[in-house]
Structure formats: structure tokens, C-alpha cells
Amino acid sequence: MTNNQAFVKRDLSVLWHPCTQMKDHETLPLTPIKKGQGVWLEDFDGNRYLDAISSWWVNLFGHANPHINAALKDQLDHLEQVIFAGFSHQPALELAEQLVAITPQGLNRCFFADNGSAAVEVALKMSFHYWLNRGQTQKTRFITLENSYHGETLGALAVGNVALYKQTYAPLLMDVITVPGPDCYYREAGESWADYSTRRFALMAQTLAEQADNVCAVIVEPLVQCAGGMRMYDPVYLKLLREACDQNGVHLIADEIAVGFGRSGTLFACEQANISPDFMCLSKGLTGGYLPLAAVMTTDDVYQAFYADYQNLTAFLHSHSYTGNPIACRAGVATLEIFRQHNIIEQNKTLAQQLTNISARFHEHPHVAEVRQTGLIVAIELVKNKATREPYPWQERRGVKVYQYALSQGVLLRPLGNVIYFMPPYVITEPELQLMAQVAWDGIQQACQD
Ligand code: PMP
């Protein structure tokens, strides 16, 4: 038995892994990781895997990043955790000050939570509670987009719309208003992203006009619906949405959990539409991919709606034991230092161009319907029939075949259904990009053979 096999045997006897049909592991081996360095992961038998998906989109500057490591080692000697109600500490304050400075204008308050779903729960509750404190008790509903994903706790799941995650639990979920989305995969031949996104906005405008009295907020993933298959749309949609939310007295929640911190090409995706939401949810890259932490950024107006004498009972009610964990916050501070010191957003323009270049050949593949890109996210949509865009039946699990092949060649790709995507750490080099693309190409060839 190899070291990997011995590990896996123990693992499968006690562990239950996320987003996994555990029976799959009878045929699809689990990969135990011993260590990580830069874009590489290494298993217990010494095999290496290029982390082309940034470990579920969290890692920005590589595994075992020396700068973040040093900051965390220092933090451990000072303060590992302290209750965040009635107490405070340096890493939380520094991180909050910096987030206020770098997020779009008007987002002057930072509320910490400890993962993306929790941040979405906080934003939903805060928005509802804002209207309640303002005496608007009829505002209890949320508008969401078709094909959206905001996490998998019950509130976050309710405002998402990907059937795979949602359908089973539907009886447990609050009722939301779902509007057809701006996903540009469905635009007409010759129609631009901007034209299609604008055209689709009419449906949102109509819903807002009809429902605004009962609606607290619209929640969106700015520019890229990531878990929904890396489907993309034009910034004009966000611009129109901001205007319509203002006109109708409805909050805008921007879930930048996946697209924030440079993924979209700008530090935050909202910048591309030149808008500022009422709530911005951040997580994933916030700690450089080191530790679970989330932040909900909001406005003075929202904050003031809760600020009153205790007897008014208007305080926001939400608490996680690990709120503002000092080690996680310190990882966030170290991550933002890297952004500043290395001018990452500027540097990433080169990386985005390299991604465009290595993806060019996929356009011509007979089973690729579309190659799309926003910043440092490239998605390749596999279909059965290129001309009609008829999808492969999900039961055939073509994406899983690509996953298996890529692993055997030392690349971690983790397709979303039949969508293969690249979302690498920002420290990936050109030869590594070439390797990633070649393995993806060969994997697609294998998976689409019959
Ligand atoms: N929102 C978006 C847009 C996400 O992509 C995710 C995670 N994939 C979440 C929320 C949930 O974050 P978490 O997994 O940390 O709960």
C-alpha cells in the first residue's frame, strides 16, 4: 500500500467531504495533500498538482506564501483569539480601516463574519433589519438572479438559484423573487455583451417597479456567476441595477466573495460599473486563501439606522464565536500588503493577457461552444453539438473525466458540470499556464471522444 492509499483508507473511514457523493471515492481516488508551495500541491507519494483553481478560488499568492506565513507566525505569539463583543484588537482594526479605504466609496463600515455564506446571511439580515428600524415592516423579500449562487446555509441557499444545490432543500427555504438573468451565453449571434445585458435588464426593472414595496434588497454576483458555471455579463447591468435600486428604494447587495480581490481584473468587480453597493460581501481571497474570514462592508446610512439608545432595541443581532479572529485578520492585512507592495492589479493585466493567449485555441475545438473570460477567470463550455449548443447530458459527467485526466497529469482542474475553467493563483508563471492549458486540452480530447 502506498502512503496515499494508507491515508485514504483512514480518511474514508471517518471523514465526510463537502460537495461529494462519497460513493464516488470507490472509483475516483481522493487526493491527500501533504504540503503546498506556490501554485503546487504535493501528495503523500510525492506527486505534484498544479492548483489551477486556487483551491476553490481562495488562494491568491500561492500556498505557503512567505510574507503571509511570517505575519501569521508573528500573530500567533501575540493574540490567537479574543471575544469580539466588547473587545477589539489590532489586526481587525487595521484590516477594517484598509477595507474601508479600498472598497468603493461610501462603504465605511465593516462587519466581520467567518465564511462567505455567513457574510451573505449577515447582509440579508442587515438589509431586512434596516427597513424594519426605519418602520418599513412590509419589506421582507429579496430579489435574486436566475443561475446565482450565494452559499449553502439556508438563507444564502434561498437567495441562490442553482438547482443542483437548492432543489433538495427547497421545502426549508424562504421564498424569494427570481428574475431571469443577464448571462451572456444566451445572447443572439452578433449581439454584444452590453446589448444583451441591457436588454435583459428590462425584466429586472419591471420586477423592481412592481415589487419594490415588499423588497429589502437585490443580491447579485457582480460580472461572473461563478458556481453557476462561470457565466458572465456586462458591467452595464450593474450600472442600471444601481440606478433602479435607488429609484425604487431597494438595497443592492454585491456578493464579491468569489470575484473580489482582483479576480475580475479590477480590485472589486463593482469598479468596472463605477458603482457602490449598499452591502458588499467579501471572503475567499480576503485572507489570501489562508483562513476562513468574511467581511460585510456597508454604508453610514445603514449603520445609522441601527444606532440608538439600547432601550430602542434596534441593535443588529448576529454573532459568531470567531468573529474577527485575529489570526485570520492578520492574514488579511498581510494579503493587502502584497497587493500594495507588488502593484498586483497592474501586474495581473499581463496575467489576464497570458490567459487569453493560452485559451485561444479552445475556441476552435469541435466540442467547445464558448470560451469566455473576465479578468483572471477563463471558462470553456463543453457541448455535445457545437452548432446547436446541445449540452452533454449531465449523467455522462464529461467534466469529471477532464478532472480525472488532469489529475493524472499533475493539474488540479475541477470543472463545474461541463464547464472547464481556469482560476489560478496570481503567482502562476507562463510555463505553468502552458502546462495547465495543454493538460486541459488533452483532457477535453479524451472526455469528448465518443
Ligand atoms: N458567494 C459566492 C459568490 C461564492 O462563490 C461562494 C463560495 N463558492 C459563497 C458565496 C459561499 O462562500 P463559502 O463557501 O465561504 O460559504
Side-chain angles (χ1 to χ4, degrees):
M1 201 183 274
T2 68
N3 293 334
N4 275 358
Q5 286 165 342
F7 185 103
V8 167
K9 191 161 178 276
R10 282 175 59 197
D11 182 298
L12 294 180
S13 69
V14 291
L15 278 162
W16 194 340
H17 290 269
C19 204
T20 302
Q21 169 47 265
M22 292 299 290
K23 188 167 189 290
D24 273 359
H25 285 314
E26 290 178 10
T27 49
L28 258 175
L30 180 73
T31 308
I33 294 301
K34 187 172 179 186
K35 58 184 181 186
Q37 185 67 59
V39 297
W40 293 96
L41 298 166
E42 189 176 317
D43 70 17
F44 283 76
D45 290 334
N47 302 308
R48 299 200 325 148
Y49 308 92
L50 194 163
D51 187 356
I53 58 154
S54 300
S55 285
W56 255 349
W57 324 339
V58 300
N59 190 288
L60 302 185
F61 302 119
H63 297 275
N65 179 282
H67 184 75
I68 304 176
N69 281 5
L72 294 190
K73 285 174 187 164
D74 177 70
Q75 186 58 40
L76 282 175
D77 286 334
H78 289 88
L79 182 67
E80 83 299 337
Q81 166 65 7
V82 63
I83 179 172
F84 205 58
F87 287 75
S88 193
H89 54 81
Q90 181 90 5
L93 175 60
E94 273 188 37
L95 184 56
E97 283 177 344
Q98 291 179 29
L99 289 174
V100 165
I102 63 174
T103 49
Q105 201 166 20
L107 296 173
N108 295 332
R109 281 283 156 188
C110 173
F111 187 97
F112 284 117
D114 40 26
N115 61 67
S117 303
V120 169
E121 302 285 347
V122 166
L124 298 175
K125 284 174 69 178
M126 254 185 200
S127 174
F128 162 78
H129 201 162
Y130 169 94
W131 296 114
L132 187 68
N133 284 349
R134 290 270 189 248
Q136 303 230 32
T137 51
Q138 78 293 355
K139 279 184 175 284
T140 57
R141 305 194 70 195
F142 295 93
I143 295 179
T144 187
L145 288 178
E146 188 184 9
N147 194 45
S148 54
Y149 178 96
H150 298 289
E152 291 175 54
T153 53
L154 295 178
L157 193 59
V159 292
N161 184 248
V162 179
L164 174 66
Y165 309 109
K166 183 170 186 175
Q167 214 162 6
T168 311
Y169 305 102
L172 307 182
L173 305 177
M174 71 174 161
D175 194 26
V176 299
I177 302 163
T178 306
V179 174
D183 172 1
C184 288
Y185 184 69
Y186 299 110
R187 70 196 185 281
E188 298 292 324
E191 190 174 25
S192 71
W193 282 27
D195 284 350
Y196 183 72
S197 300
T198 304
R199 177 154 72 80
R200 296 292 280 183
F201 186 76
L203 299 158
M204 174 63 85
Q206 190 189 339
T207 306
L208 269 169
E210 286 166 11
Q211 307 271 359
D213 287 351
N214 305 316
V215 170
C216 305
V218 179
I219 182 166
V220 291
E221 292 162 272
L223 303 187
V224 189
Q225 295 187 312
C226 293
M230 302 294 168
R231 293 297 182 83
M232 300 173 184
Y233 60 92
D234 192 88
V236 71
Y237 193 90
L238 296 174
K239 211 170 141 43
L240 294 170
L241 182 59
R242 176 69 279 183
E243 287 166 13
C245 283
D246 285 342
Q247 277 160 17
N248 289 286
V250 166
H251 287 144
L252 175 57
I253 302 173
D255 174 354
E256 294 229 13
I257 288 163
V259 294
F261 298 101
R263 257 312 146 196
S264 71
T266 43
L267 188 55
F268 299 104
C270 284
E271 292 171 24
Q272 295 184 39
N274 205 12
I275 63 148
S276 192
D278 299 287
F279 301 91
M280 183 182 268
C281 300
L282 302 171
S283 190
K284 292 195 189 272
L286 173 58
T287 60
Y290 263 66
L291 287 156
L293 180 70
V296 178
M297 306 302 297
T298 192
T299 62
D300 294 332
D301 177 43
V302 169
Y303 183 71
Q304 287 305 328
F306 293 80
Y307 198 88
D309 289 334
Y310 182 82
Q311 284 70 10
N312 291 15
L313 295 179
T314 55
F316 184 54
L317 303 168
H318 192 95
S319 43
H320 294 294
S321 314
Y322 284 100
T323 299
N325 172 261
I327 306 172
C329 286
R330 185 69 185 270
V333 171
T335 298
L336 293 182
E337 276 163 5
I338 298 177
F339 269 102
R340 281 195 306 276
Q341 286 168 6
H342 298 274
N343 204 3
I344 295 298
I345 296 300
E346 199 50 38
Q347 271 197 27
N348 277 356
K349 289 182 182 159
T350 308
L351 177 54
Q353 185 57 51
Q354 289 168 340
L355 276 164
T356 309
N357 298 344
I358 57 136
S359 313
R361 65 189 292 207
F362 291 86
H363 288 274
E364 304 312 322
H365 193 283
H367 287 285
V368 171
E370 182 176 74
V371 181
R372 49 184 177 267
Q373 179 174 6
T374 295
L376 306 179
I377 307 172
V378 171
I380 299 162
E381 184 101 18
L382 298 187
V383 287
K384 188 168 179 180
N385 185 318
K386 193 177 176 98
T388 63
R389 288 190 161 187
E390 180 195 348
Y392 280 117
W394 63 267
Q395 295 87 339
E396 293 178 9
R397 305 183 79 183
R398 302 273 170 167
V400 175
K401 291 179 185 158
V402 178
Y403 169 77
Q404 276 181 291
Y405 175 81
L407 267 190
S408 77
Q409 301 302 307
V411 177
L412 166 53
L413 296 168
R414 198 172 191 278
L416 292 154
N418 295 326
V419 176
I420 320 301
Y421 67 90
F422 304 134
M423 203 155 163
Y426 304 162
V427 291
I428 193 167
T429 63
E430 194 147 24
E432 288 162 345
L433 286 166
Q434 300 282 1
L435 169 71
M436 177 182 82
Q438 185 60 45
V439 168
W441 178 270
D442 295 340
I444 291 171
Q445 291 289 78
Q446 289 234 341
C448 299
Q449 253 168 10
D450 47 345

